[in-house]
Amino acid sequence: MVSLSISMVNLVLLWLSFLSLTSEAVPSYRFHICSNKTTFIPNSTYQSNLKDLLLSLSSNSTREIGFYNNTVGENPEISVYGLFLCRGDLTPDACQDCVSTATNEIVQQYCPVEKVAVIWYDGCMLRYSNRLIFSVMEDQPRKYLWNVLDITQPDRFLKLAQTTLSDLVPLAANASSGAKKFATKEVNFTVLQTMYSLVQCTPDLSSFDCDRCLREAITNVPTCCSGKQGARVMYPSCTIRYEVFPFYQIQAVAPPVPAPGPTPIPLLLPPPPGKSHISSLKIVAIVAPIIVSVVLFFMGYCFLIRRKASKTIQEENAANEISIVESLQFDFATIEAATNKFSDDNKLGEGGFGQVYKGILPNGQEIAVKRLSRSSRQGVGEFKNEIVLVAKLQHKNLVRLLGFCLEGEEKILVYEFVPNKSLDYFLYEPKRHGKLDWSKRYKIIGGIARGMLYLHEDSRLKIVHRDLKASNVLLDENMNPKISDFGMAKIFGVDQSQGNTSRVVGTFGYMSPEYVRYGRFSAKSDVYSFGILILVILSGKKNTSFYQSDGPADLLSFASKHWEDGTLLEFLDPTLGDSYSRNEVIRCLQIGLLCVQKNPVDRPRMASIDLMLNNYSITLPSPQNPAYLQTEQSMPLSINEASITEVYPR
Ligand SMILES: *[C@@H]1O[C@H](CO)[C@@H](O)[C@H](O)[C@H]1NC(C)=O
Ligand SMILES: *[C@@H]1O[C@H](CO)[C@@H](O)[C@H](O)[C@H]1NC(C)=O
Ligand SMILES: *[C@@H]1O[C@H](CO)[C@@H](O)[C@H](O)[C@H]1NC(C)=O
Ligand SMILES: *[C@@H]1O[C@H](CO)[C@@H](O)[C@H](O)[C@H]1NC(C)=O
Ligand SMILES: *[C@@H]1O[C@H](CO)[C@@H](O)[C@H](O)[C@H]1NC(C)=O
Ligand SMILES: *[C@@H]1O[C@H](CO)[C@@H](O)[C@H](O)[C@H]1NC(C)=O
């Protein structure tokens, strides 16, 4: 009878282990990427090579190293190169599970005819290609995932993640050849929270490449995932991840620690000592109810645990499946249909970066479609990343970026449609001036200031616009300003981290002297452009229209001359008549002149400007030393309006 009780408990144990096995046995799919640019024909040699390859990968997935690469095909032209990598802590069985799921699902569900593919599960990564992919560090295509839950003390958490991951890099990269390039670490974040972190490279990489891959992956963390409880960056060649829960088997990784046995159950096991003489019947009478209740208790307990586990797994799935890139991507057919095949009737204008069309999506939403004419300096992946970042910038004074479309050479940005045209459309056409009385102009100046303040200081990205001008300020139905074309330098891969660039993006007349001359840009160069914009709004004159005749050479010197002479109301757009607030006009002009001072340090920040515009008790300093453009003849300036030069990165 004692043996009966033991076997019943064993049954419970067995059931328990079955439960934990089943929850582990389903490898969780995360993401796949396969371009339909290169596809194979069904029943072709490529397909049969691929089939053989996947079979060999799957059958070699119990190797201790959790990695295998193979090539199938006599002819290099139609050879298939493939590999898999299991997470370093997986047992050979778990690795095999994951790899065989991956090899099946990738061709059956995700990439039936694609020659090049990569798929990630929690436990493994599988990829193949029609070209050699071994011992080559590849960081494209890539995928970022983050936990949806926010972390407290995000800055400290992010720092901790970055240092912990960086500490792990040499451990993985320096692993001896033939060993896993894998490392994990747990650190305490708070008394209650531990951070679990992991880095891994495919072991075919050199230690130099592994190091490079991981470090590059780590640099993405602040932009993709700050403020969140966990993140992963997945490259074909390496992966990093951190969470506040253990997502790898700690025992399997750490140096062998005496594993604590399954404690709770043995406690119930030992038969009461010295009771062997008690009759079997009595034992049954005593033990049976206990066992039954123990079994019931465990069933209930496990049921609860499982429910809880599946709930958190679901939550985590929801967290990770959020795929911003996908939600921002429009397909070309949709865009083509929306714009009536980019018909001339739909054309709204031509900007520096390409032509802009009006479009209507099938759901009736109006959009503005910018078909980029210039090739970006960066790869598709980088381009998408930047778009995701720029799309996150949302402010009522910024034109919202809704998404993008990539198709072959076509690169298209999709924006919200802003019904009225740009500020210059109203400003330079006297017969449209009626729409722009002083109170509207004043409101527009304030709105632009708020939008710029957001770009410079309040958003996570801290973007310098670099091309703020009247034609980049759109007006909505209530004549509220919305700044457009921000983030273009980012999207085009112009280095933002350096305050210095050989490629100048901007419009003459709005560009600060240090930018025109030395390519030095900063938030203060935007402030300069904002100052010019104020002068343009006040005077109703184009800055460039002053490059002519004898008189003052440009709007700027014209403005400061009137300022010094105290004849500033002569500077004002005559169509405003008498309906303006003298105080507001003077204040705006003064702010405008402060913004265009020659020394960037003297120019106020957008935050101060916003304050000056809204708070009349602040006394403004006197503008000094405006940066006269005619003293900055570093580039030929043209008299003719049509030749306003715009320089863009090529
Ligand atoms: C690739 O996929 C896109 C969108 O899914 C589709 O419009 C296009 O026709 C496909 N191209 C090929 C060559 O199958
Ligand atoms: C591919 O081969 C299978 C089995 O040999 C056959 O049933 C199928 O019709 C073939 N498909 C094509 C497109 O040839
Ligand atoms: C592993 O792959 C090789 C080919 O590279 C193949 O011959 C072998 O059958 C595979 N399976 C095992 C278990 O080694
Ligand atoms: C596996 O990759 C190594 C390079 O890391 C390469 O030398 C070897 O040929 C590959 N094996 C196969 C079967 O392709
Ligand atoms: C480990 O790798 C790093 C680069 O990741 C290298 O700078 C360092 O010298 C290596 N250390 C050892 C002990 O091999
Ligand atoms: C983390 O905290 C626990 C207890 O709070 C402690 O035992 C452990 O040593 C700490 N670990 C580290 C790495 O500091």
Side-chain angles (χ1 to χ4, degrees), residues 9-10 13 16-17 258-270 298:
V9 173
N10 277 346
L13 276 175
L16 272 177
S17 64
T263 34
I265 291 152
L267 279 180
L268 301 165
L269 274 183
F298 268 106

Side-chain angles (χ1 to χ4, degrees), residues 169-170 173-174 207 211 215:
V169 170
N174 293 359
S207 99
D211 183 272
R215 287 189 197 283

Side-chain angles (χ1 to χ4, degrees), residues 167-187:
D167 289 350
L168 289 176
V169 170
L171 298 182
N174 293 359
S176 54
S177 72
K180 294 174 181 175
K181 288 192 175 353
F182 170 68
T184 60
K185 188 174 177 185
E186 298 89 50
V187 292

